[in-house]
Amino acid sequence: MPKERDSPMHIVRDMLVAQLDKSVAALQGRGARDPVIHDVRTELKRARASLRLMRKCIGARAYHRE
């Protein structure tokens, strides 16, 4: 039986948090210059795409909550 932290929802959440943390760190570390903002927007697009790919796996309720 899988542990609670190994559930698809927790795996997706951990992945999304890591992607968002990367974006926040980029803004804090290098300032808000155009190339940094571009990289952050690209990372946010990746996070949204990852969430959309997992939509059926995690269920509609969890998808909308995340």
Side-chain angles (χ1 to χ4, degrees):
M1 182 163 199
K3 295 185 289 184
E4 181 67 23
R5 292 295 304 166
D6 292 336
S7 71
M9 185 62 229
H10 283 97
I11 293 169
V12 169
R13 181 176 289 153
D14 291 346
M15 179 184 61
L16 291 173
V17 167
Q19 289 173 316
L20 295 174
D21 285 345
K22 182 177 176 182
S23 297
V24 170
L27 285 173
Q28 290 175 340
R30 295 181 282 168
R33 294 184 307 270
D34 286 345
V36 174
I37 292 172
H38 172 75
D39 292 343
V40 168
R41 291 187 70 209
T42 301
E43 195 63 35
L44 292 174
K45 288 178 184 181
R46 282 191 189 114
R48 285 192 307 267
S50 298
L51 185 58
R52 280 193 308 270
L53 287 172
M54 296 300 296
R55 187 177 196 168
K56 285 186 180 182
C57 181
I58 64 174
R61 178 180 275 168
Y63 173 80
H64 289 289
R65 181 179 60 238
E66 295 302 320

